[in-house]
Amino acid sequence: MILFFNDSERIVVRAAGHDPRFSLGRLMSTTAVPDTAGPPGLRMSSARGRWVVTATVLGSGMAALDATVVGIAIPAIGRDFHAGVTSLQWVVDAYTLTLAGLLLLGGTLGDSYGRRRMFMVGTVWFALASLLCGLAPNVGVLIAARALQGVGGALLTPGSLAILQASFAKDDRSAAIGAWSGLGGIATAAGPFLGGYLIGAVSWRLVFFINLPLAVAVLVITRRHVPETRSPGAVPKLDVKGAVCISGSLAGITYGLIAASSDGWGSVAVLVPLAVGVLLGGLFLLAEAKEAQPMLPLGVFASRQFSAANAVTFVVYAALGGVLFLVPTVLQVVRGYTPLQAGTSLLPVTVIMLVLSSRSGALAARIGPRLQMSLGPVVIAASLVLFTRIGGAGDYLTAVLPAVLLFGFGIAINVAPLTATALAAAPADHAGIASAVNNDVARAAGLIAVAVLPALAGITGQSYLHPAALAHGFKMAALMAAVFCAAGGVLAAATIRNPARSARHIPAPPRETSCSLEAPPLRTLEPTGPPITTEVGKSDDS
């Protein structure tokens, strides 16, 4: 198999003797080799090519839309079910938990048994779980349905990019991925408008029901137009043990952290789940070290740069996840915004990211990622300090917009260099898993932050429905998150290194637009920008 990094350079990753342990596709659906029996590469100029892009945009957009609007629906869900903060934390975390725990396995299933097939299975699964969410008679059923949604998301999310990589001709692949990324960004931007309107005008249940017609459209288009592709060679053994261990580890840690707000840190109900989670995490590492075909080859962490980039990712996205869980609720409960107003209040962040993300990546390709990865978290931290003002006096232009704008600039400065660094730091034959791990680390960080930050800030029980109590708690949460985020900038300054110029080419950041706040975007191995040149074994800290 040959993967192309630019028009003048090609890197042979794997010869005909396919080794499933190192399939880029199975590790994060980046294999660009279609079935040998399949159709020739598609073209963007063809009707079928455009239909394939449409199917992947709708599929990934369905999951992105759900992630965007559920946060806006939290106050309405809480009032409808008379739920406390603990239950609302689980409404968010149940989805993230199963998605993060099974994301790597989802990529493996697609590459092993057919990307189109698993994309369609994930779409059906996600739609049925969405239906159950919309029909949930109580918060317990809603939480269970959200966990099932995460399973569907783990099958659906990696499939979108994988289908484009495997289906399009090399010359059209970048254009297809660019269209997918740009249209996906527009869908994400439209999410708050649509979700806020549905919540305010009808019910929060419609933010789940809206997935049903989208899913039908995805299935019809996919069945008629999307070719089936899979990785060549024998079907690899699925790393079920690893998936179970990491999912159980995240579940135990999350349960213990959320329970601490009501049971106390020293209670058995907290200590036992935390201990089980830590134990399963250790067993996961042990299993991956011994597994012949692991879903997470631990060798990727041998790179100091890769490990440092993921440490920074964890710190920064933990700060983001905790605050973004609370912001839509604060805007509605404290400032009295409608769901539509709360959703659109953060729209400038999306616009800034759409406009500046690719430019930020291009700048990092020229000067190295260290400055932006150090400065970005500090700018985000400053915006979080400004967010403490949204609970006080003033209108949107004076109390909310300054924080939102600064937040958007901080995200744009940081995200593209961070994801490009994680991708470039791994060996070429593990670039797919590098992107997947970076995405999963961010999701796990947000999962843990949502579990622990409200309790640390004193937001417990029904206090989220009382403006004064929520405003005070949010101020404390934002300040704690700001300190944590600034620490991420310090960590980046201390650990990230700028590569020096040399004759060896490594991929530059892909010029893709991204406006997801939950995790860094999944990346491909086919950048469209100029390569970064580095010299092995040397670095430039300037």
Side-chain angles (χ1 to χ4, degrees):
M1 183 187 72
I2 300 175
L3 294 179
F4 292 85
F5 285 103
N6 58 45
D7 291 337
S8 62
E9 176 186 44
R10 66 181 184 179
I11 297 178
V12 179
V13 176
R14 189 167 65 248
H18 169 68
D19 185 346
R21 290 176 298 171
F22 302 106
S23 165
L24 296 185
R26 72 171 291 268
L27 291 173
M28 198 51 242
S29 304
T30 54
T31 303
V33 179
D35 244 352
T36 54
L42 298 176
R43 297 288 181 180
M44 277 295 290
S45 58
S46 68
R48 190 181 188 188
R50 292 191 293 271
W51 278 118
V52 170
V53 172
T54 300
T56 57
V57 168
L58 290 177
S60 58
M62 181 170 62
L65 177 68
D66 194 80
T68 302
V69 300
V70 167
I72 303 171
I74 285 296
I77 293 172
R79 286 191 294 266
D80 200 4
F81 289 138
H82 305 287
V85 171
T86 297
S87 296
L88 299 179
Q89 288 170 291
W90 273 115
V91 168
V92 173
D93 271 357
Y95 175 83
T96 309
L97 194 157
T98 51
L99 176 61
L102 300 176
L103 188 64
L104 295 177
L105 187 63
T108 303
L109 288 169
D111 288 341
S112 300
Y113 298 101
R115 299 182 180 98
R116 184 184 74 164
R117 176 183 299 173
M118 297 315 300
F119 183 69
M120 294 179 71
V121 169
T123 299
V124 172
W125 190 305
F126 194 90
L128 292 177
S130 297
L131 177 62
L132 183 57
C133 287
L135 296 175
N138 54 60
V139 72
V141 173
L142 178 60
I143 291 170
R146 287 283 289 163
L148 292 175
Q149 257 194 326
V151 177
L155 299 174
L156 178 64
T157 300
S160 299
L161 183 57
I163 286 171
L164 298 177
Q165 278 284 93
S167 301
F168 277 86
K170 172 184 175 292
D171 293 342
D172 278 29
R173 211 168 285 147
S174 294
I177 292 170
W180 169 77
S181 180
L183 292 172
I186 294 173
T188 302
F193 287 102
L194 179 60
Y197 173 77
L198 293 176
I199 295 166
V202 186
S203 169
W204 60 265
R205 296 179 186 273
L206 262 68
V207 303
F208 297 109
F209 289 147
I210 194 66
N211 292 330
L212 302 181
L214 289 175
V216 171
V218 170
L219 292 171
V220 170
I221 296 172
T222 301
R223 183 175 177 82
R224 293 190 60 181
H225 300 287
V226 176
E228 182 61 282
T229 60
R230 58 176 58 85
S231 292
V235 174
K237 175 185 175 184
L238 295 178
D239 187 10
V240 177
K241 184 188 299 183
V244 170
C245 285
I246 189 60
S247 297
S249 175
L250 292 173
I253 292 172
T254 303
Y255 184 92
L257 292 175
I258 291 178
S261 63
S262 57
D263 297 329
W265 289 100
S267 69
V268 174
V270 172
L271 295 179
V272 170
L274 288 177
V276 170
V278 172
L279 176 62
L280 287 174
L283 291 176
F284 170 73
L285 296 177
L286 183 63
E288 297 305 280
K290 293 184 176 181
E291 177 63 47
Q293 300 173 17
M295 69 178 190
L296 175 58
L298 299 181
V300 296
F301 292 100
S303 166
R304 175 185 172 185
Q305 185 89 327
F306 179 75
S307 298
N310 281 283
V312 174
T313 297
F314 185 89
V315 174
V316 172
Y317 275 88
L320 297 182
V323 170
L324 291 175
F325 170 70
L326 295 171
V327 166
T329 301
V330 172
L331 291 173
Q332 293 176 70
V333 174
V334 177
R335 298 200 66 85
Y337 285 9
T338 65
L340 178 59
Q341 290 171 327
T344 55
S345 293
L346 299 178
L347 183 60
V349 176
T350 303
V351 174
I352 291 171
M353 292 181 69
L354 284 171
V355 172
L356 297 182
S357 288
S358 62
R359 291 172 173 81
S360 179
L363 177 62
R366 291 196 301 270
I367 69 173
R370 189 185 183 203
L371 176 62
Q372 286 158 267
M373 288 182 64
S374 303
L375 178 62
V378 175
V379 175
I380 297 171
S383 75
L384 297 181
V385 173
L386 287 181
F387 266 116
T388 62
R389 301 171 62 245
I390 69 175
D395 57 15
Y396 176 75
L397 292 178
T398 58
V400 180
L401 185 60
V404 170
L405 292 175
L406 192 60
F407 183 81
F409 283 117
I411 295 290
I413 291 169
N414 186 69
V415 170
L418 187 152
T419 53
T421 300
L423 182 65
D429 61 345
H430 284 79
I433 194 62
S435 175
V437 168
N438 191 238
N439 185 280
D440 241 1
V441 165
R443 294 186 187 278
L447 174 78
I448 293 172
V450 170
V452 71
L453 186 61
L456 291 178
I459 304 174
T460 58
Q462 301 285 330
S463 62
Y464 72 96
L465 294 176
H466 302 283
L470 179 59
H472 175 74
F474 177 74
K475 182 176 182 179
M476 298 301 299
L479 290 175
M480 285 187 282
V483 172
F484 205 62
C485 197
V490 175
L491 179 63
T495 59
I496 298 298
R497 294 292 178 263
N498 288 333
R501 294 182 176 276
S502 84
R504 186 174 74 86
H505 293 279
I506 63 175
R511 288 179 183 171
E512 301 167 11
T513 53
S514 172
C515 52
S516 171
L517 297 177
E518 289 77 27
L522 295 174
R523 295 298 193 185
T524 73
L525 285 176
E526 295 198 333
T528 58
I532 305 173
T533 56
T534 65
E535 183 172 352
V536 181
K538 294 184 180 181
S539 65
D540 178 8
D541 295 342
S542 60

